[in-house]
Amino acid sequence: MQDLLKANGIGLPPSPPDRPNANLESIPAGARFTDPEISASISKDAAAGLVTCSQVIGQSIREDIAMMYGQFHMAKAQFGLKMLKLNKEKGWLIPLLYTIMNLRIAKVKSAFFRRFFPY
């Protein structure tokens, strides 16, 4: 690509300096992003992209633009499904019902202990 640009007399933009090599061990444990955090952020962004594509489709007055965003929407939905499968396989997705049931059990246990062991 650079040769083609140079041959046609187009100046190349200045390239940024190379990134320094980072050692994973030099990053403190509290400053690192965990895999579940990264996955949740990517999933959230994919869901936001789906909503945006749906809004554009609904507001579009041109059929070609609506179809184009329909294709974007389908690609984002497929990516979201892949992320969902990955989150389930890795155990990063905690179903809400499971969480609610654990909270109810914890409340029952704490009420039981408060009843028989008052502070």
Side-chain angles (χ1 to χ4, degrees):
M1 185 68 165
Q2 292 177 353
D3 295 333
L4 179 65
L5 292 173
K6 286 180 184 178
N8 289 315
I10 299 173
L12 298 174
S15 61
D18 292 335
R19 291 185 175 202
N21 291 333
N23 184 6
L24 183 62
E25 301 303 322
S26 66
I27 302 171
R32 293 183 209 154
F33 286 111
T34 62
D35 291 343
E37 290 173 330
I38 294 169
S39 178
S41 177
I42 292 171
S43 297
K44 176 187 66 85
D45 291 344
L50 279 169
V51 171
T52 303
C53 285
S54 296
Q55 287 176 339
V56 171
I57 292 169
Q59 294 174 1
S60 179
I61 58 173
R62 290 180 47 188
E63 293 87 7
D64 57 339
I65 300 296
M67 288 296 294
M68 182 176 68
Y69 275 89
Q71 292 172 351
F72 296 157
H73 189 277
M74 184 58 66
K76 288 186 181 298
Q78 289 173 346
F79 177 72
L81 179 62
K82 289 178 186 175
M83 289 300 297
L84 178 62
K85 287 181 181 178
L86 176 73
N87 287 333
K88 285 184 176 182
E89 288 171 2
K90 297 288 184 174
W92 297 334
L93 181 67
I94 301 169
L96 183 61
L97 181 61
Y98 179 74
T99 306
I100 291 172
M101 293 303 293
N102 281 343
L103 289 175
R104 287 183 183 164
I105 291 170
K107 284 182 182 179
V108 169
K109 285 181 180 178
S110 65
F112 173 79
F113 284 114
R114 277 187 293 199
R115 183 182 197 188
F116 292 105
F117 303 105
Y119 295 83

